[in-house]
Amino acid sequence: MDANKFFETLGIHLDLALEATEALRGDAQKEIPGVSETKEEHSHATVTTIKILDKTGQQIMGRPEGSYITIEAPELAIKDKEIYEEISSIVANKIVELMQDLKIDKDASVLLVGLGNWNATPDALGPEVVENSLVTRHLFHYAPSELTGGLREVSAIAPGVLGITGIETAEIIKGVVEKLSPGLIIAIDALAASNLNRVGTTIQLTNTGINPGSGIGNKRTGINLNTMGTPVIAIGVPTVVHAAVIAFEVFASLTQNNPYLTQQITEEKMQAIVGQILEPFGGQLVVTPKEVDELIFQTAKVIATGINQGLHPRIETGNSSFYLQ
Amino acid sequence: MDANKFFETLGIHLDLALEATEALRGDAQKEIPGVSETKEEHSHATVTTIKILDKTGQQIMGRPEGSYITIEAPELAIKDKEIYEEISSIVANKIVELMQDLKIDKDASVLLVGLGNWNATPDALGPEVVENSLVTRHLFHYAPSELTGGLREVSAIAPGVLGITGIETAEIIKGVVEKLSPGLIIAIDALAASNLNRVGTTIQLTNTGINPGSGIGNKRTGINLNTMGTPVIAIGVPTVVHAAVIAFEVFASLTQNNPYLTQQITEEKMQAIVGQILEPFGGQLVVTPKEVDELIFQTAKVIATGINQGLHPRIETGNSSFYLQ
Amino acid sequence: MDANKFFETLGIHLDLALEATEALRGDAQKEIPGVSETKEEHSHATVTTIKILDKTGQQIMGRPEGSYITIEAPELAIKDKEIYEEISSIVANKIVELMQDLKIDKDASVLLVGLGNWNATPDALGPEVVENSLVTRHLFHYAPSELTGGLREVSAIAPGVLGITGIETAEIIKGVVEKLSPGLIIAIDALAASNLNRVGTTIQLTNTGINPGSGIGNKRTGINLNTMGTPVIAIGVPTVVHAAVIAFEVFASLTQNNPYLTQQITEEKMQAIVGQILEPFGGQLVVTPKEVDELIFQTAKVIATGINQGLHPRIETGNSSFYLQ
Amino acid sequence: MDANKFFETLGIHLDLALEATEALRGDAQKEIPGVSETKEEHSHATVTTIKILDKTGQQIMGRPEGSYITIEAPELAIKDKEIYEEISSIVANKIVELMQDLKIDKDASVLLVGLGNWNATPDALGPEVVENSLVTRHLFHYAPSELTGGLREVSAIAPGVLGITGIETAEIIKGVVEKLSPGLIIAIDALAASNLNRVGTTIQLTNTGINPGSGIGNKRTGINLNTMGTPVIAIGVPTVVHAAVIAFEVFASLTQNNPYLTQQITEEKMQAIVGQILEPFGGQLVVTPKEVDELIFQTAKVIATGINQGLHPRIETGNSSFYLQ
């Protein structure tokens, strides 16, 4: 039985390309046409790079052509300086790789966009990353040049969400992009996963930007090369799961290797049960672990450190705070 | 199949007496010996008062003798001033009732205790209620008596949690109680529910205090007449559910009226499946809706307003802010 | 001796038009050419409307032609619901008046701009007002029309400050304005006063927008009809004073009616003393009362309530929370 | 003219022993009987140790016998990792010295007390330090002993302030102390300085605890060996100044080396002027720099790091986060 289809029927979008390929490849680990996949092992993380290479891959995956890098680091849940530093370095290196793929100029200015709602903890990842990032654009305009040596021109906004601003997030960003003409946008967003143990432990980077329907806030308009006229790297971390995911896991366990139950507990029956359980929530219930504050705080720091290292490689991380504010 | 037993085996405590009676009475609505139950209907809430009357009831219910009042108000999830005001008034009246049951003196001083961790949003209900409550004890000591007319002597603490203080919460409270000798303690805490749609919409008040194992933080020592030497009213709102609850709801739906599946999907099988799904989380995963910030903020205001009205009946609610700070 | 000149020499900008006229008119209360002034008394506030009528007035006042309304309400420092409601209503009425002056269309859409730094309490007034305002633009686009009856189309942004975004605030706003084409901008900002007891008790509204050099953050570019292509109403509250102001008050007291000391303590001597005292702070020290958190919180609520009433006159204030979020 | 006397008449308490000695010794740098003073120079700080040796010193200084160590580090206002690390190390070493003076046992348990109001930024230093400190007491009770190797037993509370709890802070602490019987209390508090440039750049440590009247919140009861039955080290940082201080600095500058003005501008006249300027504030106005949020955040980190190093010398600072919750 197919997780992708199950969630689709419930109107749930899978934000991670890795989850989409896993669902498609199934237990048989079959190849997906038009899609390549490579893996690297690090001390505390596995990095999977999925490339959607052509129209065929694009159609099967339901995602635009491009690279999707997933860092899986279950140990991010443990507080340990060494683990944090390794993951930050991987984030930094992967940003550099994606920038090379996109042929971003070495001195190109970058606009960081922290998506999400700072008043809703599980959706506050983007604004929190931006808060911890090294912003330098004003130094180039107002400070002596010795201060800006080794730095790239970086600016940052946290545009808020529709319910707070009354404005489509993409409109605000587009307005700012037209004023600044950055060479690259890096958008950071909280995602929904279809697996409980990805929450706070998986980081996805992609050079295809953010596409409609993705993220906690369900963006209606994409934030990508198409809509912005500027390449967009998107960095996302799952911070929530749909409650239906838990029901699906029960279902999948029950029916696995049990032809009789597979026959009895049809997909339709499961949809009906899930629909009924979620009925008091308008059919949609998105949950987050009770430790969500800590989780957002720590992953935001890891990602911000990665961004600072990736964008300003010539400064020491330890001193980055000197430039903050 | 028995929800109580199912959760017990998983080491999950049911915080709401109402859920415990529902599980015990079952579909057949059978009487529970030593336990009485009455219901009142209000415009926006149903109030159920469960009284555990004797040793028999105590043993069956796994809770001390006393009153357990549950306010169910699904509309609390809607933002509406009228609904908030009705629920606040019910809270106020029920506090007065419980104080009469406990024969608390009309002028007795009250110590509010906001249990929980202010740094973890789903566990911050107690501290947030205390923040919004009308504290007056210092006025009695330092201000002219015309300021304190119509007021009761109320003090408040938010003792934090073991992980932050290194001290058992009950020890801190006991230390303060010995200095202040209040006539009554009102302890406010976030609870875990076994039903998703109770989160943020159900309020439980009891004159039995807080007993070991209850609440999000899993108190190791009770906060009750026994441990404090002072009567304790506990007010709780479910803000989280165990992920296992969602699995149980699927299970219950599947087996209901289906003797065949009931036979196939044994309790042991379900326990195993749940254990396996939760294995990456050490067997325990507690979740909260992604709107948790809003939910804590609003229910804390409703409860604080109820406490202020219940304890200082002679002042107008609208002006209570005059006395704050 | 002239406060205006004293502060000018120290590079300090007076944000309140009322303070500028008071300094110019002096004890003799002389008329200022090209400037009219009227006063209204309310139960808890005095409202002064200064109109700069022509080029002469503009030059003397160092401010553009237009209306400057100052609400002085010393009792705002007291917590009292009745006082808050009166001041909110005055704010609402004055917004309506200024909109009529500007001939803003009855159904014109409004963009609220909360200026300032949400991470620096004394500069967080603007973002805090925006947080408490009723944003409706998305309802017009996505909700059934019965929801929007009696509402005006309002959107809101808090663009941050240069040190956080790396971007001139005016650039961000201009980018958004070009996307939205609002009929009016209302910009809210924290101001610097030259009188200690204005902090948190005075509200200035003007239809001339925000002009370079004003506000805590010392905007480099104006936010006004000129730069935005849209009329701008600015609402400001002093939340800080320059430390030099306190020195000036000592000086003014010493020399008042004392010709001998006036001769001895020359302006140059005072400038030197102030310069020396402030030398460890790079010549500039801006201070705020230690109760600044409370002050920002309360005045932001009063102004937001005034904006909500002024812009959506047909809804009840009490129910405005229904539309929030 | 005497700063001590000037402030005393205005009811202003000087929290720093260093300021008291400076005022007493005057320009002539005369010796104070019963008081010794030594200075050390560090790269980024000057450390002055004042010892009040006997009853004579005690009476002149208006402070109990004991050590008062003042770290003056104007560069704390600059963000620089190296400076922070040096100051943290000095704090750690001075805590160790004071503990040796007090003959605190090598394995004695320590109770950290973060004094002040977490809702008022300038008064939030104490709670903020406690938030960043390494609390371990619960590990000794509930964790395997290999986890606690190299650690001391440390617990922590932030008791709030009278206006929030209705309870004298000393009562709450005393209640907890009686339950825990710690070997030492370390109390952290925000102070008032009589010199603008001490704010956020000076740290005072003393083994005499906290004495009535000191601190922003004007404690009514001391927190010291006398009241607690346990030795108390107090750590304080000035975060506010009385507005009267600025007036005094003007006064002192004007009259310095000017016998004529000294005669004209009498102390009485200055008192009257200051009284008149501060009249709208009930005679008392306490101010803080507008950068107060940043200042509290950074000094709290420096002090917490110093405490962690001083109390748990055998763990690496970098890994201290491992033990934090």
Side-chain angles (χ1 to χ4, degrees):
Chain A
M1 137 88 164
D2 180 346
N4 269 2
K5 223 193 293 169
F6 184 82
F7 295 125
E8 208 176 278
T9 324
L10 290 165
I12 295 175
H13 181 269
L14 286 189
D15 283 333
L16 294 175
L18 185 62
E19 295 193 336
T21 56
E22 279 173 0
L24 285 166
R25 297 180 65 190
D27 294 340
Q29 290 286 310
K30 63 183 174 207
E31 292 276 316
I32 308 171
V35 175
S36 77
E37 186 179 316
T38 54
K39 271 194 196 298
E40 297 160 37
E41 291 297 333
H42 296 254
S43 312
H44 303 291
T46 303
V47 179
T48 308
T49 303
I50 292 164
K51 294 201 179 189
I52 301 184
L53 305 162
D54 55 25
K55 288 269 152 71
T56 314
Q58 191 171 319
Q59 203 170 4
I60 296 175
M61 292 285 290
R63 281 171 166 75
E65 280 183 56
S67 297
Y68 299 85
I69 300 171
T70 310
I71 304 168
E72 291 174 282
E75 289 166 299
L76 266 181
I78 305 165
K79 290 190 199 179
D80 184 285
K81 215 185 154 188
E82 189 194 307
I83 295 170
Y84 288 162
E85 286 177 354
E86 186 186 284
I87 310 301
S88 289
S89 290
I90 298 174
V91 170
N93 293 336
K94 294 306 168 186
I95 289 172
V96 171
E97 263 180 54
L98 290 174
M99 286 173 76
Q100 284 164 349
D101 282 6
L102 290 169
K103 303 198 194 318
I104 304 297
D105 195 81
K106 236 177 65 107
D107 296 320
S109 71
V110 174
L111 172 64
L112 304 177
V113 178
L115 297 166
N117 182 350
W118 47 80
N119 288 330
T121 308
D123 196 19
L125 180 81
E128 192 74 17
V129 168
V130 158
E131 199 91 334
N132 285 285
S133 295
L134 191 46
V135 167
T136 58
R137 184 172 174 272
H138 54 313
L139 301 177
F140 284 81
H141 291 218
Y142 305 109
S145 67
E146 56 267 34
L147 249 180
T148 59
L151 295 178
R152 181 195 293 273
E153 198 177 309
V154 175
S155 54
I157 54 167
V161 293
L162 188 63
I164 281 181
T165 62
I167 313 170
E168 268 283 352
T169 309
E171 277 183 284
I172 298 180
I173 303 168
K174 180 71 170 159
V176 174
V177 164
E178 284 175 5
K179 291 286 143 203
L180 268 62
S181 307
L184 172 71
I185 296 168
I186 299 183
I188 305 98
D189 201 8
L191 305 179
S194 73
N195 190 318
L196 284 163
N197 48 16
R198 289 206 180 287
V199 170
T201 64
T202 295
I203 302 170
Q204 175 177 274
L205 300 98
T206 172
N207 56 13
T208 61
I210 285 179
N211 294 292
S214 76
I216 291 189
N218 261 314
K219 280 83 201 165
R220 287 179 181 82
T221 313
I223 297 155
N224 49 40
L225 178 55
N226 221 21
T227 57
M228 295 294 144
T230 304
V232 180
I233 291 177
I235 303 180
V237 174
T239 65
V240 298
V241 289
H242 286 269
V245 160
I246 301 172
F248 177 75
E249 293 191 33
V250 172
F251 181 34
S253 283
L254 277 174
T255 53
Q256 199 177 23
N257 305 323
N258 188 329
Y260 189 83
L261 283 182
T262 306
Q263 203 186 330
Q264 284 285 311
I265 313 173
T266 59
E267 216 165 304
E268 289 70 36
K269 187 175 264 174
M270 275 306 291
Q271 304 279 12
I273 287 174
V274 171
Q276 187 187 318
I277 293 173
L278 300 186
E279 199 264 315
F281 309 94
Q284 289 277 352
L285 178 69
V286 175
V287 296
T288 190
K290 83 173 190 327
E291 297 77 10
V292 60
D293 301 75
E294 189 61 25
L295 182 160
I296 294 289
F297 181 76
Q298 293 292 4
T299 48
K301 280 211 172 165
V302 167
I303 291 174
T305 307
I307 290 174
N308 292 345
Q309 274 178 41
L311 297 184
H312 313 286
R314 280 169 292 174
I315 63 152
E316 281 178 71
T317 315
N319 270 328
S320 69
S321 61
F322 177 70
Y323 299 90
L324 288 172
Q325 251 286 321
Chain B
M1 137 89 165
D2 179 347
N4 269 2
K5 222 194 293 169
F6 184 82
F7 295 125
E8 209 178 276
T9 324
L10 290 164
I12 294 175
H13 182 268
L14 287 190
D15 282 333
L16 294 174
L18 184 63
E19 294 193 336
T21 55
E22 279 172 2
L24 285 166
R25 298 179 65 191
D27 294 339
Q29 291 287 311
K30 63 182 176 210
E31 292 275 317
I32 308 171
V35 175
S36 76
E37 186 179 317
T38 54
K39 270 192 198 299
E40 297 160 39
E41 290 299 332
H42 296 253
S43 311
H44 304 289
T46 303
V47 178
T48 309
T49 302
I50 293 164
K51 294 202 180 189
I52 301 185
L53 305 161
D54 56 25
K55 286 270 153 71
T56 314
Q58 190 172 319
Q59 203 170 4
I60 296 175
M61 293 284 291
R63 283 171 165 74
E65 279 182 56
S67 297
Y68 299 84
I69 300 170
T70 309
I71 305 168
E72 293 175 281
E75 290 166 298
L76 266 181
I78 305 166
K79 290 188 199 179
D80 183 285
K81 216 184 155 189
E82 187 194 308
I83 296 170
Y84 289 162
E85 287 176 355
E86 185 184 285
I87 311 302
S88 290
S89 289
I90 298 174
V91 170
N93 293 337
K94 295 305 168 185
I95 289 172
V96 172
E97 263 180 54
L98 291 173
M99 287 173 76
Q100 284 164 349
D101 283 6
L102 291 168
K103 305 194 195 319
I104 304 296
D105 194 83
K106 235 177 66 105
D107 296 320
S109 72
V110 174
L111 172 64
L112 303 178
V113 178
L115 296 166
N117 182 350
W118 46 79
N119 288 329
T121 309
D123 197 19
L125 180 81
E128 192 73 18
V129 168
V130 157
E131 199 91 337
N132 285 285
S133 295
L134 191 47
V135 167
T136 57
R137 183 172 174 273
H138 53 313
L139 301 177
F140 284 81
H141 291 218
Y142 304 110
S145 67
E146 56 265 37
L147 249 179
T148 56
L151 295 177
R152 180 193 293 273
E153 197 176 309
V154 174
S155 54
I157 55 167
V161 294
L162 188 64
I164 281 181
T165 61
I167 313 169
E168 269 282 352
T169 308
E171 276 182 286
I172 298 180
I173 302 168
K174 179 74 170 158
V176 175
V177 164
E178 285 173 6
K179 291 286 144 204
L180 266 62
S181 308
L184 172 72
I185 296 168
I186 299 183
I188 304 99
D189 201 8
L191 306 178
S194 75
N195 190 319
L196 284 163
N197 47 15
R198 289 207 180 286
V199 170
T201 64
T202 295
I203 302 170
Q204 175 176 275
L205 301 99
T206 171
N207 56 13
T208 61
I210 285 180
N211 294 291
S214 77
I216 292 189
N218 260 314
K219 280 82 201 166
R220 287 178 182 84
T221 312
I223 297 155
N224 48 40
L225 177 57
N226 220 22
T227 58
M228 295 295 143
T230 303
V232 180
I233 291 176
I235 303 179
V237 174
T239 65
V240 299
V241 289
H242 287 270
V245 160
I246 301 172
F248 176 75
E249 293 191 32
V250 171
F251 180 34
S253 284
L254 276 173
T255 53
Q256 197 175 24
N257 305 323
N258 189 329
Y260 192 82
L261 283 181
T262 306
Q263 203 186 332
Q264 283 285 311
I265 311 171
T266 58
E267 216 166 303
E268 289 70 38
K269 186 175 266 174
M270 274 307 291
Q271 304 278 14
I273 286 174
V274 171
Q276 189 187 317
I277 292 173
L278 300 186
E279 199 265 314
F281 308 93
Q284 288 277 353
L285 177 69
V286 175
V287 298
T288 190
K290 83 173 188 332
E291 296 78 9
V292 61
D293 300 75
E294 188 61 25
L295 181 160
I296 294 290
F297 181 76
Q298 293 292 4
T299 47
K301 281 211 171 166
V302 167
I303 292 173
T305 307
I307 290 175
N308 293 344
Q309 274 178 40
L311 297 184
H312 313 287
R314 281 168 292 174
I315 64 153
E316 282 178 71
T317 316
N319 269 327
S320 70
S321 61
F322 177 71
Y323 299 90
L324 288 172
Q325 252 286 318
Chain C
M1 138 88 165
D2 180 346
N4 270 2
K5 225 195 290 169
F6 184 83
F7 295 126
E8 210 177 277
T9 324
L10 290 164
I12 294 175
H13 181 269
L14 287 189
D15 282 332
L16 294 174
L18 184 64
E19 294 193 335
T21 56
E22 280 172 0
L24 285 165
R25 298 178 65 191
D27 295 338
Q29 290 286 311
K30 63 182 174 209
E31 293 276 315
I32 308 171
V35 175
S36 77
E37 186 178 317
T38 54
K39 271 192 196 300
E40 297 160 38
E41 290 299 332
H42 296 252
S43 311
H44 304 289
T46 303
V47 178
T48 309
T49 302
I50 292 164
K51 295 201 180 188
I52 301 185
L53 305 162
D54 56 24
K55 286 270 151 72
T56 314
Q58 191 171 319
Q59 204 169 3
I60 296 175
M61 292 284 292
R63 282 171 165 75
E65 279 182 56
S67 297
Y68 299 85
I69 300 169
T70 309
I71 304 167
E72 293 175 281
E75 290 167 298
L76 265 181
I78 305 166
K79 290 187 199 181
D80 184 285
K81 215 185 156 190
E82 187 195 309
I83 295 171
Y84 289 163
E85 286 177 354
E86 186 185 285
I87 311 302
S88 290
S89 289
I90 298 174
V91 170
N93 293 336
K94 294 305 168 186
I95 289 173
V96 171
E97 263 180 52
L98 290 174
M99 287 174 76
Q100 284 163 349
D101 282 7
L102 290 168
K103 303 196 196 318
I104 304 296
D105 195 82
K106 237 178 63 107
D107 296 320
S109 71
V110 174
L111 172 64
L112 304 178
V113 178
L115 297 166
N117 182 350
W118 46 79
N119 289 330
T121 309
D123 197 19
L125 180 80
E128 192 73 18
V129 168
V130 157
E131 199 91 338
N132 285 285
S133 295
L134 190 48
V135 167
T136 57
R137 185 173 173 272
H138 53 313
L139 301 177
F140 285 82
H141 290 219
Y142 305 110
S145 67
E146 54 266 36
L147 249 179
T148 56
L151 295 177
R152 181 193 292 275
E153 198 177 308
V154 174
S155 54
I157 55 168
V161 294
L162 188 64
I164 281 181
T165 62
I167 313 169
E168 270 283 352
T169 307
E171 276 182 286
I172 298 180
I173 302 168
K174 179 72 171 159
V176 174
V177 165
E178 285 173 6
K179 292 285 142 206
L180 267 62
S181 308
L184 172 71
I185 296 168
I186 298 183
I188 304 98
D189 201 8
L191 305 178
S194 75
N195 191 319
L196 284 163
N197 47 15
R198 289 206 181 287
V199 170
T201 64
T202 295
I203 302 170
Q204 174 177 274
L205 301 98
T206 171
N207 57 13
T208 61
I210 285 180
N211 294 290
S214 77
I216 291 188
N218 260 313
K219 281 83 201 165
R220 287 178 181 85
T221 311
I223 297 155
N224 48 41
L225 178 57
N226 220 21
T227 58
M228 295 295 144
T230 304
V232 180
I233 291 176
I235 304 179
V237 174
T239 64
V240 299
V241 289
H242 287 269
V245 160
I246 301 171
F248 176 74
E249 293 190 32
V250 171
F251 180 35
S253 284
L254 276 173
T255 53
Q256 198 177 23
N257 305 323
N258 188 330
Y260 190 84
L261 284 181
T262 306
Q263 205 187 329
Q264 284 284 312
I265 312 172
T266 58
E267 216 166 303
E268 289 70 38
K269 186 174 267 174
M270 275 305 293
Q271 303 279 14
I273 287 174
V274 172
Q276 188 187 319
I277 292 173
L278 299 185
E279 199 264 314
F281 308 93
Q284 289 277 354
L285 178 69
V286 174
V287 296
T288 190
K290 82 172 190 330
E291 296 78 9
V292 61
D293 301 75
E294 188 61 26
L295 181 160
I296 293 290
F297 180 76
Q298 294 292 4
T299 48
K301 281 209 171 167
V302 167
I303 292 174
T305 306
I307 291 175
N308 293 344
Q309 275 178 39
L311 297 184
H312 313 286
R314 279 170 293 175
I315 62 154
E316 282 178 71
T317 316
N319 270 326
S320 70
S321 61
F322 177 71
Y323 300 89
L324 288 172
Q325 250 286 322
Chain D
M1 138 89 165
D2 181 344
N4 269 3
K5 223 194 291 168
F6 184 83
F7 295 125
E8 209 177 277
T9 323
L10 289 164
I12 295 175
H13 181 269
L14 287 189
D15 282 333
L16 295 174
L18 185 62
E19 294 193 337
T21 57
E22 278 173 2
L24 285 165
R25 298 179 65 191
D27 294 339
Q29 291 287 311
K30 62 183 176 207
E31 292 276 317
I32 308 171
V35 176
S36 77
E37 185 178 318
T38 54
K39 272 193 195 299
E40 298 161 36
E41 290 298 333
H42 296 254
S43 312
H44 303 289
T46 303
V47 179
T48 309
T49 303
I50 292 164
K51 296 203 178 187
I52 300 185
L53 305 162
D54 56 24
K55 288 269 152 71
T56 315
Q58 190 170 319
Q59 202 170 5
I60 296 176
M61 292 284 291
R63 283 173 165 74
E65 280 183 56
S67 298
Y68 299 84
I69 301 170
T70 310
I71 305 168
E72 291 174 282
E75 289 165 300
L76 265 181
I78 304 166
K79 290 189 199 180
D80 184 285
K81 214 185 155 188
E82 188 193 309
I83 295 170
Y84 288 161
E85 287 176 354
E86 186 185 285
I87 310 302
S88 289
S89 289
I90 297 174
V91 170
N93 294 336
K94 294 305 167 185
I95 288 173
V96 171
E97 263 180 53
L98 290 174
M99 286 173 75
Q100 284 163 349
D101 283 7
L102 290 168
K103 304 197 193 318
I104 305 296
D105 194 84
K106 236 178 64 108
D107 297 319
S109 71
V110 174
L111 171 64
L112 304 178
V113 178
L115 296 166
N117 182 350
W118 46 80
N119 288 329
T121 308
D123 196 20
L125 181 81
E128 192 73 19
V129 168
V130 157
E131 199 91 335
N132 285 285
S133 295
L134 192 47
V135 166
T136 57
R137 184 171 174 273
H138 54 314
L139 301 177
F140 284 81
H141 291 218
Y142 305 109
S145 67
E146 56 267 35
L147 249 180
T148 58
L151 294 177
R152 180 194 294 273
E153 197 176 310
V154 174
S155 54
I157 55 167
V161 294
L162 187 64
I164 281 181
T165 61
I167 312 170
E168 269 283 352
T169 308
E171 276 183 285
I172 297 180
I173 303 169
K174 179 72 171 160
V176 174
V177 164
E178 286 175 5
K179 291 286 143 203
L180 268 61
S181 308
L184 173 70
I185 296 168
I186 299 184
I188 305 98
D189 201 7
L191 305 178
S194 75
N195 190 319
L196 284 164
N197 49 14
R198 289 206 180 286
V199 170
T201 64
T202 295
I203 301 169
Q204 174 177 275
L205 300 98
T206 172
N207 56 13
T208 61
I210 285 181
N211 294 291
S214 77
I216 291 189
N218 262 314
K219 280 85 203 164
R220 286 178 181 85
T221 311
I223 297 155
N224 48 40
L225 179 56
N226 221 21
T227 58
M228 295 294 144
T230 303
V232 180
I233 291 177
I235 304 180
V237 175
T239 64
V240 298
V241 288
H242 287 269
V245 160
I246 301 172
F248 177 75
E249 293 190 33
V250 171
F251 180 34
S253 283
L254 276 174
T255 53
Q256 198 177 24
N257 305 323
N258 188 329
Y260 192 83
L261 283 182
T262 306
Q263 204 186 330
Q264 283 284 313
I265 312 172
T266 58
E267 216 166 303
E268 289 71 36
K269 186 175 266 173
M270 275 306 292
Q271 304 278 12
I273 287 174
V274 171
Q276 188 188 319
I277 293 174
L278 299 186
E279 199 265 315
F281 309 93
Q284 288 276 353
L285 178 69
V286 175
V287 296
T288 190
K290 83 172 188 332
E291 297 77 10
V292 61
D293 301 75
E294 188 62 26
L295 181 160
I296 293 289
F297 181 76
Q298 293 293 2
T299 48
K301 281 212 170 164
V302 167
I303 292 174
T305 307
I307 290 175
N308 293 345
Q309 275 178 39
L311 296 184
H312 313 287
R314 280 169 292 175
I315 64 153
E316 282 178 72
T317 316
N319 269 328
S320 69
S321 61
F322 176 71
Y323 298 90
L324 289 171
Q325 240 294 293

